[in-house]
Amino acid sequence: MNEAEIYQRLFETHLLQCEGMFLSGSAQVNGQTVAVIGTRGHAAIDTTLALKLAEAILQVVRADSTAAPRPIIFIADTQGQALSRHQELLGLNGYFAHVARCVDLARRQGHKLLTVINGEAVSGGFLAYGLLADTICALPDAQVRVMDLRAMSRVTKISHVKLEELAAVSPVFAPGAENFWRMGGIDEIWSAQDNWQERLSKALTQGNQTDERAASGLARGGRLMAAPVASLVSG
Amino acid sequence: MNRRRVSYFEASARVRVHGLVDENSFVELCPAELRKTSPHLASLDAPLAFDDGVVVGRATLAGSAILIAAQEGRFNGGSVGEVHGAKIRGLLELALLTKPVAVLLLVDSGGVRLQEANAGLIAISEIMRAVLKGQSAGIPVFALIGGSCGAFGGMGIVARLCNEIVMSEQGRLGLSGPEVIETVKGVEEFDSRDRALVWRITGGKIRRTLGEATRLVDDLIPAFRDAATRLLARYVELPPVTLDDLQQAQHRLTERTGRFAEVSDGQQIWQQIFSESAGIAGLTVSDFNRLLGDQP
């Protein structure tokens, strides 16, 4: 399924602009207007792309400051952060923190935030915005991971074969939307047969403004210690 | 222990905490005696730490109530796993209840713990949300960076969410570590063994020059303590971040990307900013701060 077909299946109608790896616009979900902001083409997120994401979020917040806040749908397709000395020197982590603050502002201003993972959701690029939404839904082919096993093998000096063996038995380590769901990091995984418009519309009514991921991870058996240990500390 | 001359870089997480806060004021929460270790490291037969590499608790700093977390860089690179991350998040949630004058995060971490990568990534996202929630409830969060692992990966993002960053020259702050960039993009992109280059990209001086670190201090625990104590005085109250604030931040970052569009070495940034840029990498901390016009 190509990108245009995916948006067609997600939204009743939509008016989306693509600008390189950046995507923005608006769409209709069950008669309701939503803002759409995202990345495409497995984008490596650099400072320029991060600034576009942040600006788009701020624009929606500004536009709705005297109106009912529209839900924001984040479309996440990122291979992670751009890797270069230049990006590090500019302080890419600070640009990501800025995007995160914009996401937080939108939430505080009453915008519902929902991420649809289309393609890849990897590490830093996913942390910056997609993973901060109230609700996170993965399309059937979504690849969710922290680091490519080949890259991890080069960084850790552990052989690729050994990492693949570990991935086969360890859901806490292995890439995959299912594993993130078990840990509470993803709320829904949609199938190819599902009616995505219906699922999106329903998911938008169920968003949680507080962070319930540790409790979900406990209930689903994927993260048994996160919730109790945090409670032990917070008393 | 002689508190005056203890190197922050060389010290363990516990020594840092005890040296930073008022004497005998630290009370550890979820202490090592409870042995909350990583179930995921255990299943790999990997070494465990009874505190999972992070010390969290409450204390006073110059008489004011604070909460403090210190990552232990010597255990798995200070990496964030399920338990480690949950302790930091729990501390930030406690702050909402007890309203300390600040939460201090002594960051010393390469980011997500790869052996439990999925749980670690979600944990960092939870910490990010907890920092933002604490701040919008009026509680400032400070990052102190001066350990051997610096603040990288998701912890580099967390550090930049903080209201203040106190750094030593030895501290490093970034997203992808030099080793990761070198292994993925090649040694010609980033030679991680060129120590001077690594510090000109990620080190305290360049991060202070760009305004990310708000204080550059000597590599001494009392210097970190003094800087954190002085910064506390700025926060009689902390208003929530507004649309205007973020539009200004957007403007500043856009300007930075444009102004330094071609740079690949901190020295080039210093050349653009200072008339005399040749010896900056070698300046003492106090001379560097004088150059920037910073108060001691």
Side-chain angles (χ1 to χ4, degrees):
Chain A
M1 197 181 310
N2 69 31
E3 203 184 342
E5 288 166 341
I6 287 169
Y7 302 143
Q8 214 125 41
R9 275 196 71 175
L10 275 173
F11 305 118
E12 284 163 21
T13 60
H14 63 265
L15 190 62
L16 302 179
Q17 297 90 42
C18 296
E19 190 192 337
M21 301 283 183
F22 176 67
L23 168 80
S24 70
S26 68
Q28 296 286 316
V29 177
N30 198 20
Q32 183 183 21
T33 303
V34 299
V36 180
I37 298 169
T39 58
R40 50 197 287 274
H42 310 323
I45 302 185
D46 61 5
T47 61
T48 305
L49 190 47
L51 286 171
K52 281 184 182 160
L53 289 166
E55 178 61 38
I57 298 166
L58 294 178
Q59 263 175 23
V60 173
V61 172
R62 200 182 308 135
D64 293 357
S65 59
T66 56
R70 281 168 289 168
I72 301 175
I73 311 290
F74 294 120
I75 307 283
D77 183 6
T78 168
Q79 58 177 279
Q81 66 267 27
L83 288 173
S84 82
R85 203 165 88 188
H86 171 66
Q87 293 293 324
E88 288 301 316
L89 182 54
L90 284 176
L92 184 56
N93 51 314
Y95 290 73
F96 284 11
H98 173 62
V99 177
R101 275 197 200 96
C102 294
V103 173
D104 183 63
L105 175 74
R107 185 174 3 247
R108 285 189 285 120
Q109 296 300 313
H111 295 267
K112 286 185 173 175
L113 307 172
L114 185 145
T115 294
V116 175
I117 304 173
N118 167 37
E120 291 186 275
V122 184
S123 191
F126 191 31
L127 274 177
Y129 70 108
L131 201 48
L132 290 173
D134 308 326
T135 310
I136 301 173
C137 307
L139 295 184
D141 296 329
Q143 308 276 317
V144 188
R145 62 174 173 270
V146 173
M147 198 187 236
D148 178 74
L149 289 190
R150 288 190 185 281
M152 200 190 284
S153 163
R154 287 196 295 261
V155 173
T156 59
K157 315 270 192 293
I158 301 169
S159 78
H160 184 236
V161 174
K162 195 154 187 193
L163 291 178
E164 279 192 323
E165 281 170 13
L166 181 57
V169 296
S170 172
V172 73
F173 169 78
E178 183 74 21
N179 293 330
F180 275 81
W181 178 84
R182 275 169 47 83
M183 276 162 224
I186 285 180
D187 299 284
E188 299 181 10
I189 302 173
W190 300 350
S191 77
Q193 289 74 42
D194 284 341
N195 180 329
W196 295 354
Q197 284 178 28
E198 273 176 18
R199 293 213 67 162
L200 180 57
S201 166
K202 191 159 173 238
L204 267 177
T205 64
Q206 293 173 337
N208 211 327
Q209 299 254 308
T210 56
D211 192 344
E212 303 296 335
R213 290 176 287 184
S216 302
L218 182 62
R220 295 170 192 165
R223 269 195 309 157
L224 298 176
M225 289 191 74
V229 167
S231 302
L232 203 59
V233 174
S234 65
Chain B
M1 177 175 70
N2 179 356
R3 284 163 67 116
R4 297 308 308 169
R5 302 299 313 168
V6 180
S7 158
Y8 187 97
F9 187 90
E10 301 287 341
S12 69
R14 275 166 209 285
V15 169
R16 285 174 192 159
V17 168
H18 285 284
L20 266 163
V21 304
D22 298 342
E23 223 164 336
N24 300 322
S25 72
F26 179 66
V27 179
E28 187 170 357
L29 300 167
C30 189
E33 298 90 271
L34 295 184
R35 302 195 173 188
K36 294 295 176 191
T37 56
S38 164
H40 314 299
L41 290 178
S43 69
L44 297 172
D45 287 325
L48 304 175
F50 291 148
D51 57 16
D52 204 37
V54 64
V55 181
V56 303
R58 57 171 190 268
T60 61
L61 179 63
S64 298
I66 59 159
L67 294 177
I68 185 166
Q71 295 180 301
E72 178 52 70
R74 290 181 244 181
F75 180 69
N76 277 303
S79 59
V80 179
E82 179 174 349
V83 172
H84 181 120
K87 287 172 75 175
I88 299 175
R89 177 171 57 87
L91 190 77
L92 290 157
E93 284 169 359
L94 177 62
L96 296 173
L97 305 171
T98 64
K99 305 273 179 189
V101 295
V103 180
L104 269 52
L105 303 180
L106 281 52
V107 180
D108 194 358
S109 174
V112 170
R113 184 179 296 162
L114 292 178
Q115 295 94 327
E116 43 187 296
N118 302 343
L121 190 74
I122 298 167
I124 288 191
S125 181
E126 290 171 329
I127 293 170
M128 288 169 65
R129 281 191 69 170
V131 167
L132 289 161
K133 194 163 183 194
Q135 290 169 330
S136 65
I139 300 154
V141 184
F142 296 0
L144 279 58
I145 305 170
S148 59
C149 297
F152 284 95
M155 287 312 295
I157 304 175
V158 169
R160 288 287 280 118
L161 283 175
C162 291
N163 301 83
E164 306 282 352
I165 298 179
V166 180
M167 257 180 115
S168 65
E169 202 179 344
Q170 290 82 347
R172 293 175 299 139
L173 172 61
L175 188 55
S176 306
E179 297 81 5
V180 174
I181 296 176
E182 184 186 313
T183 46
V184 177
K185 294 286 170 171
V187 69
E188 55 290 337
E189 174 63 33
F190 204 159
D191 182 353
S192 68
R193 273 177 290 188
D194 184 341
R195 310 289 286 174
L197 174 65
V198 168
W199 259 264
R200 289 198 305 273
I201 304 292
T202 66
K205 269 184 185 156
I206 189 68
R207 295 296 130 208
R208 176 70 197 101
T209 303
L210 289 169
E212 297 181 343
T214 43
R215 287 289 181 275
L216 185 76
V217 299
D218 282 311
D219 173 39
L220 294 169
I221 293 177
F224 276 88
R225 175 185 156 93
D226 289 348
T229 307
R230 283 166 202 265
L231 287 169
L232 277 185
R234 288 184 174 188
Y235 293 90
V236 180
E237 63 172 341
L238 178 66
V241 172
T242 65
L243 178 59
D244 271 356
D245 296 334
L246 290 177
Q247 285 178 163
Q248 284 170 27
Q250 178 82 16
H251 181 72
R252 281 194 303 273
L253 289 173
T254 304
E255 203 172 61
R256 186 194 292 181
T257 294
R259 183 176 181 192
F260 302 120
E262 304 296 332
V263 299
S264 58
D265 190 321
Q267 187 62 40
Q268 295 166 306
I269 289 179
W270 286 326
Q271 272 162 9
Q272 285 195 40
I273 293 179
F274 302 111
S275 50
E276 284 289 325
S277 66
I280 287 181
L283 288 180
T284 64
V285 168
S286 54
D287 285 345
F288 178 84
N289 283 334
R290 208 165 295 129
L291 181 71
L292 256 61
D294 278 2
Q295 301 297 316

